[in-house]
């Protein structure tokens, strides 16, 4: 089973490159299932149901979210309409939507768990470690289990990767928009990567226009952070999983320019 994981989709440039590259990428790499982070798809702040449908049409099978999940008006009601939209599982009780779902593919079932980090994050969230424990209780689900961890601190991501080694097929991080080079298969068969990177413009500061952010750092004055447009790349990773035991057999990072 081959699973494609895409980093944060940033604004219209990120949506555009996903629409242009994902269909051919899925065919070329024989991808069975695609997980994409849509946290920044709506001008950098959350996603709407209409934009989610665009990404599903392009080939995403499930969209994960993060600390901007409620930024778009009415999305709290919209998230209930599509089971392919996953908000972090460890949000406080009473939040709408779901943070875990199992999907059937010709290669076997894929369970996706969305989690939100707490270190250096402003969003309210319960312990991701305990939330993962609760999600994994009960009879084995079979097939692949992918944990997408939207977190700021590399240490928190690495710790969760070790904590879940052997219990899930992959733990991959998002949120920082910078792809890390620590892809590996942990000793008990879990694929790991601290951050998938982003689907968005590299000629930027994390997907935003450079000059306003430089101005903010130099003066401390509030400025508008518009989405940049130039040098757009698609970033993520491919993970191969043995569906008979759920163990990862390979992980490969992707960095593809817009053409």
């Amino acid at each position: 089973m081959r699973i494609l994981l895409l980093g944060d989709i940033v604004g219209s440039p990120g949506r555009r490159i996903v629409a242009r590259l994902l269909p051919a990428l899925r065919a070329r790499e024989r991808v069975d299932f695609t997980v994409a982070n849509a946290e920044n798809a709506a001008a950098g702040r959350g996603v709407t149901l209409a934009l989610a449908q665009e990404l599903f049409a392009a080939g995403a099978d499930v969209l994960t979210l993060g600390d901007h999940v409620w930024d778009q008006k009415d999305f709290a009601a919209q998230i209930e309409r599509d089971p392919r939209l996953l908000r972090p599982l460890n949000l406080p009780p009473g939040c709408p939507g779901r943070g875990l779902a199992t999907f059937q593919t010709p290669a076997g079932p894929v369970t996706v768990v969305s989690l939100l980090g707490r270190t250096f994050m402003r969003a309210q969230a319960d312990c991701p470690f305990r939330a993962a424990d609760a999600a994994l209780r009960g009879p084995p689900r079979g097939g692949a289990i992918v944990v997408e961890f939207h977190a700021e601190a590399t240490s928190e991501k690495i710790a969760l990767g070790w904590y879940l080694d052997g219990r899930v097929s992959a733990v991959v991080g998002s949120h920082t928009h910078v792809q890390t080079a620590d892809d590996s298969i942990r000793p008990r068969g879990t694929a790991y990567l601290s951050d998938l990177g982003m689907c968005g413009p590299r000629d930027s500061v994390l997907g935003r226009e450079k000059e306003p952010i430089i101005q903010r750092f130099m003066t401390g004055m509030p400025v508008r952070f518009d989405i940049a447009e130039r040098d757009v790349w698609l970033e993520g990773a491919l993970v191969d999983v043995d569906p008979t035991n759920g163990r990862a057999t390979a992980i490969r990072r992707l960095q593809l320019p817009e053409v």
Side-chain angles (χ1 to χ4, degrees):
M1 177 189 297
R2 177 162 286 178
I3 300 171
L4 171 63
L5 303 140
L6 296 180
D8 297 58
I9 299 169
V10 181
S12 59
R15 302 195 310 270
R16 184 180 71 237
I17 196 170
V18 169
R20 289 182 179 179
L21 299 191
L22 181 55
L25 176 61
R26 286 192 61 136
R28 183 172 68 252
E29 296 288 352
R30 299 180 180 180
V31 171
D32 296 298
F33 194 80
T34 300
V35 181
N37 185 284
E39 161 77 359
N40 300 125
R45 301 190 67 87
V47 71
T48 66
L49 193 59
L51 295 181
Q53 295 300 331
E54 288 183 19
L55 297 170
F56 291 138
D61 292 300
V62 63
L63 299 176
T64 56
L65 297 161
D67 55 310
H68 290 299
V69 59
W70 310 127
D71 282 9
Q72 293 298 313
K73 184 180 179 181
D74 298 328
F75 188 70
Q78 294 175 349
I79 195 172
E80 298 283 4
R81 301 179 192 172
D82 199 318
R84 297 172 295 175
L85 289 168
L86 296 184
R87 50 84 167 166
L89 179 67
N90 58 321
L91 292 182
C95 288
R98 62 203 60 78
L100 177 153
T102 299
F103 305 88
Q104 299 300 322
T105 79
V110 179
T111 297
V112 182
V113 182
S114 173
L115 291 173
L116 184 65
R118 296 195 296 182
T119 305
F120 306 132
M121 300 286 280
R122 289 179 294 176
Q124 294 294 318
D126 297 329
C127 176
F129 294 79
R130 291 185 173 87
D133 282 339
L136 297 173
R137 290 193 191 107
R141 296 177 179 272
I145 302 176
V146 175
V147 174
E148 201 272 314
F149 192 25
H150 197 76
E152 179 76 24
T154 305
S155 58
E156 190 178 18
K157 296 179 186 181
I158 292 172
L160 186 71
W162 284 116
Y163 186 67
L164 296 180
D165 184 25
R167 295 199 282 163
V168 301
S169 307
V171 176
V172 294
S174 60
H175 180 66
T176 71
H177 296 198
V178 177
Q179 188 179 90
T180 55
D182 58 345
D183 46 311
S184 64
I185 304 294
R186 293 288 164 84
R188 296 178 181 175
T190 295
Y192 177 80
L193 180 64
S194 288
D195 205 285
L196 293 162
M198 71 172 172
C199 299
R202 283 188 178 178
D203 187 358
S204 70
V205 176
L206 306 184
R208 307 282 184 161
E209 289 287 358
K210 302 186 295 293
E211 291 305 321
I213 294 182
I214 293 170
Q215 178 184 345
R216 176 66 178 268
F217 277 119
M218 294 183 68
T219 67
M221 296 297 294
V223 291
R224 180 183 175 91
F225 294 161
D226 291 325
I227 300 295
E229 294 286 342
R230 298 167 297 280
D231 193 21
V232 183
W233 288 66
L234 181 147
E235 296 181 334
L238 288 165
V239 175
D240 292 342
V241 177
D242 182 343
T244 65
N245 57 25
R247 292 186 176 183
T249 58
I251 180 170
R252 171 162 52 98
R253 287 180 290 123
L254 293 175
Q255 294 184 327
L256 303 175
E258 188 173 32
V259 292

